[in-house]
């Protein structure tokens, strides 16, 4: 499928788009009032947002460090990094001794990237309506996209740091430089307002993102909004928005545009070679009916480094990559969260792998992600253009199942959403048995079953620590082969690396660099300053 020009234009715009007067700028860079002078300026300003801010959390910072979105999974102890001996953020995260001082650069990179994305979105939102020659339909489209990206950046910020400065206008003067933190509820109010505006405006196509040339669609905004309402219903705000979350997720399901990829079987009911749904997803550049939101890659422009994290370093001499690193290595608790006998996801060469065959020889190694494996990149080119899913239809089903159960009870609809995930994983189990078991559960029991599938199904979409922050519950596995998970109070327990989880860990610390820049800010409780 043809990639869109966002990759090309976005890279150029990252160097030239206005994002606040405090940054050093090239002498030939124009001001906002000068830049939005032609329709293509508005287009390019929006295109740049696709690769700015929260999206950069999913970029690789190098072969050794992993992507920054992996920090939460490192905190949980469910994944490890083979090079953590030199990557201090992994060490300090796993031992739960991180703060805004000893990881200031690390947290500052997150904070600064997202505020840069917000700044650029604010510029676009202010000046797109004033751009000469821009038609009404283009204004509506670009405004919807810009509001979506502003909301997305604030959503990641507030989930990670809690109360943050709320900035909705471009920085064009020396006024209001040092803003105080706004309460989380105020930030979420802007997020929901922006997303609801983007959804209702008519500016976003009612297509899947792959079928919309890689541009944001109505469903993308709805997916984020459904999760935002779910998050607001938890510890972040404590409002009961489950019904709104359920309604938003239900609209996506009822659109009929999405479905889970299914297994291909032979006449005897066995999987054909590479016929599992997980293999199909792995081997596809995009999955139109299951990918809702993804990060776009293109060989020669933006290369995907995730395939180099599909092998441990001792396999490097056999690969085209200069270095392989098991930067997202599953630890025993993650492996133990799957039914060892019946869950297809934990079987060899489904979600993970532990061997390769070269020249007729089987080479075994530490279990590593298989879902990111790209054979052509691994053995020939060291280049991959496969897109990375950020939100999938499985996310929507799990969000919907939890929200419906919490607002309406364990209905047949809630059971159906969760059962779809479980039936695909436990593919040899009678579907009616799965549904009967789920239907017999209480609301709390059912919700915990949803949480279990969020741990198992969404492991490559990285939500585990966000879920801990939201629910204040930590998943503990039994390590008996059954895949059973129990949820205990997060505060007061330890992760897999015996790092003590404290109340302060329910938010990330503000980076010391930002506290020094802005004297109006205060550190989150419990962290050194």
């Amino acid at each position: 499928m043809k990639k869109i020009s966002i990759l090309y234009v976005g890279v150029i715009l990252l160097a030239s788009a206005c994002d606040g007067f405090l940054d050093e700028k090239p002498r030939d860079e124009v001001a906002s009032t000068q830049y939005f002078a032609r329709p293509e300026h508005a287009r390019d300003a929006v295109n740049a947002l696709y690769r700015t801010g929260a999206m950069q959390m999913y970029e690789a910072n190098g072969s050794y460090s992993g992507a920054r979105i992996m920090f939460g999974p490192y905190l949980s102890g469910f994944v490890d990094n083979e090079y953590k001996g030199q990557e201090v953020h992994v060490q300090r995260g796993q031992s739960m001794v991180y703060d805004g001082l000893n990881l200031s650069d690390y947290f500052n990179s997150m904070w600064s990237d997202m505020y840069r994305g917000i700044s650029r979105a604010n510029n676009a939102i202010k000046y797109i309506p004033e751009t000469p020659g821009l038609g009404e339909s283009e204004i509506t489209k670009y405004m919807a996209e810009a509001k979506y990206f502003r909301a997305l950046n604030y959503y990641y910020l507030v989930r990670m740091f809690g109360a943050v400065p709320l900035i909705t206008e471009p920085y064009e003067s020396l006024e209001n430089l040092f803003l105080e933190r706004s309460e989380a509820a105020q930030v979420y109010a802007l997020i929901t307002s922006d997303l609801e505006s983007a959804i209702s405006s008519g500016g976003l196509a009612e297509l899947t993102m792959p079928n919309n040339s890689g541009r944001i669609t109505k469903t993308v905004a709805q997916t984020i909004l459904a999760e935002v309402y779910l998050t607001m219903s938890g510890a972040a705000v404590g409002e009961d928005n489950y019904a709104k979350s359920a309604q938003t997720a239900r609209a996506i399901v009822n659109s009929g545009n999405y479905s889970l990829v299914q297994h291909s079987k032979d006449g005897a009911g066995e999987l054909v070679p590479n016929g599992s749904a997980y293999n199909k997803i792995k081997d596809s550049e995009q999955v139109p009916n299951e990918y809702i939101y993804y990060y776009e890659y293109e060989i020669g422009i933006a290369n995907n480094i995730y395939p180099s994290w599909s092998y441990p370093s001792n396999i490097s001499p056999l690969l085209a990559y200069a270095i392989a690193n098991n930067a997202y290595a599953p630890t025993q608790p993650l492996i133990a969260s799957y039914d060892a006998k019946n869950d297809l996801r934990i079987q060899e060469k489904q979600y993970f792998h532990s061997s390769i065959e070269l020249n007729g020889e089987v080479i075994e190694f530490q279990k590593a992600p298989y879902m990111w494996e790209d054979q052509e990149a691994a053995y020939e080119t060291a280049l991959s253009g496969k897109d990375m899913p950020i939100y999938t239809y499985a996310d929507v089903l799990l969000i919907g199942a939890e929200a419906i159960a919490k607002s309406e009870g364990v209905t047949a609809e809630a059971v159906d959403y969760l059962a779809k995930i479980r039936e695909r994983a436990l593919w040899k189990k009678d579907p009616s048995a799965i549904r009967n078991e789920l239907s017999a559960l209480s609301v709390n029991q059912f919700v915990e079953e949803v949480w279990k599938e969020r741990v198992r199904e969404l492991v490559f979409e990285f939500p585990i620590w966000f879920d801990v922050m939201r629910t204040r519950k930590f998943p503990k596995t039994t390590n008996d082969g059954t895949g059973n998970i129990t949820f205990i109070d997060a505060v007061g327990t330890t992760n897999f690396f015996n790092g003590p989880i404290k109340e302060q860990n329910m938010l990330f610390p503000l980076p010391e660099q930002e506290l020094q820049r802005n004297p109006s800010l205060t550190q989150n409780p419990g962290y050194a300053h």
Side-chain angles (χ1 to χ4, degrees):
M1 186 172 291
K2 183 179 179 181
K3 303 276 185 173
I4 59 174
S5 60
I6 288 172
L7 282 167
Y8 300 84
V9 177
V11 171
I12 295 171
L13 261 286
L14 291 180
S16 62
C18 299
D19 59 43
F21 72 96
L22 292 179
D23 291 346
E24 293 183 4
K25 298 180 182 297
R27 291 183 182 274
D28 61 349
E29 184 167 318
V30 294
S32 300
T33 51
Q34 296 172 298
Y35 181 74
F36 289 88
R38 299 195 300 270
E40 56 266 32
H41 291 170
R43 176 203 64 198
D44 293 350
V46 171
N47 284 357
L49 296 174
Y50 278 76
R51 306 193 77 76
T52 306
M55 300 298 290
Q56 293 174 267
M57 292 283 291
Y58 294 84
E59 291 180 347
N61 292 326
S63 298
Y64 302 111
S65 61
R68 284 173 290 176
I69 194 64
M70 295 176 182
F71 186 69
Y74 289 148
L75 296 184
S76 72
F78 275 55
V79 295
D80 203 356
N81 185 321
E82 192 178 3
Y83 274 90
K84 67 181 178 183
Q86 68 182 39
E87 299 300 322
V88 294
H89 66 284
V90 181
Q91 295 181 50
R92 289 171 177 158
Q94 290 178 341
S95 57
M96 304 300 287
V97 295
Y98 62 90
D99 56 38
L101 288 167
N102 61 27
L103 287 185
S104 184
D105 286 346
Y106 191 74
F107 291 118
N108 186 65
S109 67
M110 301 178 186
W111 180 282
S112 298
D113 281 348
M114 281 178 276
Y115 270 111
R116 186 175 298 109
I118 290 166
S119 179
R120 291 174 177 173
N122 285 338
N123 275 332
I125 290 167
K126 179 174 182 178
Y127 288 105
I128 283 171
E130 303 174 10
T131 304
L134 203 60
E136 285 300 319
S137 62
E138 292 175 303
I139 291 174
T140 301
K141 173 184 175 181
Y142 293 149
M143 286 292 286
E145 290 181 271
K147 286 187 176 182
Y148 165 80
F149 280 110
R150 182 168 68 178
L152 182 70
N153 280 289
Y154 268 123
Y155 178 44
Y156 275 71
L157 269 173
V158 74
R159 275 200 296 179
M160 292 191 293
F161 299 105
V164 294
L166 197 58
I167 305 167
T168 58
E169 294 288 334
Y171 271 122
E172 296 174 330
S173 73
L174 294 176
E175 297 180 5
N176 298 319
L177 278 181
F178 304 122
L179 293 178
E180 296 180 353
R181 302 171 69 175
S182 296
E183 292 296 324
Q186 291 179 265
V187 182
Y188 276 105
L190 176 69
I191 293 168
T192 56
S193 175
D194 274 353
L195 290 172
E196 288 167 352
S197 174
I199 292 166
S200 64
S201 68
L204 301 179
E206 298 194 34
L207 300 169
T208 65
M209 192 172 169
N211 290 332
N212 193 42
S213 299
R215 299 198 76 90
I216 298 303
T217 69
K218 182 178 179 180
T219 303
V220 176
Q222 288 173 314
T223 300
I224 306 300
L225 182 59
E227 189 182 68
V228 166
Y229 281 136
L230 192 68
T231 302
M232 291 174 69
S233 302
V237 179
E239 295 179 357
D240 185 350
N241 284 289
Y242 288 115
K244 290 181 178 179
S245 179
Q247 180 183 14
T248 310
R250 181 181 287 124
I252 299 170
V253 175
N254 291 344
S255 73
N257 291 331
Y258 299 90
S259 60
L260 295 180
V261 176
Q262 297 301 310
H263 309 308
S264 294
K265 305 174 185 178
D266 61 21
E270 297 297 321
L271 294 176
V272 302
N274 300 316
S276 78
Y278 313 117
N279 287 167
K280 292 178 184 179
I281 293 170
K282 168 195 161 298
D283 292 333
S284 300
E285 183 178 345
Q286 298 168 338
V287 187
N289 291 339
E290 189 154 346
Y291 281 10
I292 288 180
Y293 188 33
Y294 57 86
Y295 194 64
E296 193 174 28
Y297 288 99
E298 177 72 16
I299 293 175
I301 300 168
N303 299 314
N304 184 352
I305 198 174
Y306 281 72
S308 73
W309 294 332
S310 288
Y311 307 89
S313 60
N314 65 311
I315 302 298
S316 297
L318 305 177
L319 305 176
Y321 286 103
I323 182 68
N325 172 31
N326 205 350
Y328 199 69
T331 60
Q332 189 55 38
L334 179 55
I335 295 169
S337 69
Y338 300 92
D339 182 329
K341 180 180 178 182
N342 299 308
D343 196 324
L344 182 59
R345 292 168 295 194
I346 198 58
Q347 305 306 314
E348 178 68 7
K349 291 182 169 48
Q350 297 299 325
Y351 266 23
F352 307 99
H353 65 156
S354 58
S355 67
I356 57 174
E357 184 174 346
L358 287 177
N359 302 319
E361 179 185 1
V362 176
I363 301 168
E364 297 182 346
F365 48 78
Q366 176 193 25
K367 198 178 290 290
Y370 187 63
M371 288 295 286
W372 299 334
E373 193 249 17
D374 182 335
Q375 290 198 3
E376 183 177 358
Y379 302 118
E380 299 177 29
T381 65
L383 300 172
S384 178
K386 286 187 176 181
D387 297 330
M388 285 296 302
I390 296 176
Y391 285 91
T392 65
Y393 187 52
D395 286 276
V396 173
L397 291 173
L398 293 172
I399 291 168
E402 181 174 351
I404 291 169
K406 294 290 284 186
S407 60
E408 304 171 26
V410 184
T411 66
E413 182 184 25
V415 168
D416 181 59
Y417 288 7
L418 179 54
K420 281 181 166 65
I421 303 289
R422 191 159 286 181
E423 287 165 5
R424 184 168 72 169
L426 306 178
W427 66 291
K428 290 189 174 182
K429 188 169 182 177
D430 181 3
S432 61
I434 291 174
R435 292 169 183 261
N436 290 337
E437 290 168 5
L438 294 175
S439 298
L441 299 176
S442 68
V443 169
N444 288 340
Q445 290 171 331
F446 181 86
V447 167
E448 289 200 358
E449 292 302 312
V450 175
W451 293 351
K452 292 175 186 179
E453 292 305 332
R454 290 185 64 83
V455 172
R456 300 168 182 143
E457 180 74 15
L458 306 182
V459 61
F460 297 113
E461 291 155 54
F462 317 109
I464 188 167
W465 197 258
F466 288 137
D467 283 346
V468 171
M469 290 173 161
R470 173 174 69 89
T471 66
R472 299 300 180 97
K473 296 293 183 180
F474 188 83
K476 289 283 188 178
T477 52
T478 56
N479 202 28
D480 60 0
T482 64
N484 189 41
I485 303 172
T486 57
F487 291 89
I488 63 175
D489 290 340
V491 176
T493 191
T494 58
N495 66 14
F496 176 65
F497 295 96
N498 293 319
I501 301 173
K502 303 175 183 177
E503 178 65 31
Q504 68 198 50
N505 303 124
M506 297 300 99
L507 291 173
F508 292 168
L510 273 64
E512 180 64 22
Q513 289 160 278
E514 189 61 27
L515 293 173
Q516 293 294 329
R517 281 191 293 260
N518 182 356
S520 297
L521 295 180
T522 56
Q523 182 58 275
N524 279 327
Y527 288 112
H529 173 40

